[in-house]
Amino acid sequence: MSDIEQPQLYLITPPEFELDVFPALLGQVLDSAKIACVRLSLATQDEDKICKMADAVREITHARDVALVIDEHILLVEKLGLDGVHLGDGARRVAKVRKMLSEDAIVGAFSGTSRHDGMSAGEAGADYVSFGPISEAALGDGERASANLFQWWSDVIEVPIVAEGALDAQALEMFGPITDFFALGEEIWSAADPVAKVQHIVKMISA
C-alpha cells in the first residue's frame, strides 16, 4: 500500500433516528466535508422500518455520490439498491457474502483487535477491514486495537483499514498517519452541531 497521506472519513448512522429530521442533517454533514462512505447501522429489526430508513438515507447519499452500506442485512443490499454490507463478525461470512452479492458490491468486515482475523477477512475478499476500539473505553472487555497493528497493516497489507470506536482527539492524531479511514458515529451525532464537529475533525486530521 502506498503511504497514507490523509485518512478519509466514513460515517456510521445513529442506531435510531427520526425520518423527518436525520436525512436533512446527514445531507448537511455530507455537504460540509468529503465523506467516502456511510454505514446504515440500526438497532431495529423491523424490516419495514429499516427499508424506510434506508430509502431516506440512500436518497441523500447517492445524490452526493457517497457509497451506502448496511450493517449485516445482506439480502437488503440488492433489494434496496445499496452499495454493500458491513459484517460485524470478521472473516466468518466474507467469502459466502462475496459470492452472494454482485462483484461491484462493497463487503466490509469488523475484526475487533485481531490481526489474524483481519488478514483472514482480507484474504476472503473483504474490500476493507475495520478494527477498534482504538482508545480506552469502559465498554466491552477493554481490549483495544493498537497503533502497532495499524502501522503493521499499513506497511504490509493492501486491503484498506478502518479505525472505529472511541475516536477521541488523541486517537485521531495518533492514528491519522496509519489508517485509511476513520469511522465516525456518535463522535459526530452526539455533538450539539454535527456539521461543525465534522469540520473540526477534518481540520484535525489535515494538520
Side-chain angles (χ1 to χ4, degrees):
M1 178 182 292
S2 59
D3 291 338
I4 298 170
E5 296 181 0
Q6 179 181 320
Q8 299 182 65
L9 296 185
Y10 171 135
L11 295 188
I12 304 170
T13 68
E16 296 181 9
F17 58 76
E18 297 296 330
L19 277 172
D20 58 348
V21 175
F22 180 73
L25 176 59
L26 175 62
Q28 293 171 15
V29 171
L30 295 181
D31 289 339
S32 72
K34 186 175 181 180
I35 306 297
C37 183
V38 173
R39 184 200 308 169
L40 193 63
S41 182
L42 302 174
T44 181
Q45 294 299 307
D46 183 317
E47 183 178 343
D48 288 341
K49 192 172 182 180
I50 291 171
C51 289
K52 289 178 182 178
M53 290 176 157
D55 285 342
V57 172
R58 186 193 63 242
E59 184 176 334
I60 299 299
T61 58
H62 285 188
R64 294 160 175 78
D65 199 27
V66 175
L68 176 62
V69 301
I70 189 169
D71 263 347
E72 303 298 334
H73 301 300
I74 303 156
L75 297 181
L76 294 183
V77 172
E78 293 185 357
K79 177 180 178 179
L80 299 177
L82 309 181
D83 297 292
V85 66
H86 176 86
L87 304 174
D89 55 358
R92 289 180 59 191
R93 293 175 291 154
V94 171
K96 176 183 177 181
V97 173
R98 183 80 276 169
K99 293 177 182 178
M100 291 174 65
L101 299 178
S102 69
E103 291 183 3
D104 294 334
I106 298 168
V107 178
F110 177 70
S111 290
T113 61
S114 172
R115 181 171 76 174
H116 178 267
D117 190 76
M119 291 173 61
S120 297
E123 290 168 357
D127 293 293
Y128 68 81
V129 175
S130 65
F131 295 98
I134 62 171
S135 61
E136 291 185 12
L139 302 179
D141 61 6
E143 191 174 3
R144 55 179 172 168
S146 69
N148 288 337
L149 166 59
F150 278 76
Q151 183 65 65
W152 175 86
W153 189 281
S154 65
D155 289 340
V156 176
I157 306 296
E158 294 186 358
V159 177
I161 186 173
V162 181
E164 68 172 279
L167 301 184
D168 57 20
Q170 184 178 4
L172 289 167
E173 180 179 359
M174 179 183 298
F175 285 79
I178 51 176
T179 191
D180 295 294
F181 298 90
F182 280 122
L184 300 161
E186 287 302 306
E187 295 91 347
I188 296 292
W189 309 121
S190 64
D193 185 343
V195 171
K197 182 68 173 182
V198 78
Q199 290 177 332
H200 176 67
I201 290 174
V202 168
K203 290 180 181 179
M204 287 181 60
I205 63 178
S206 301

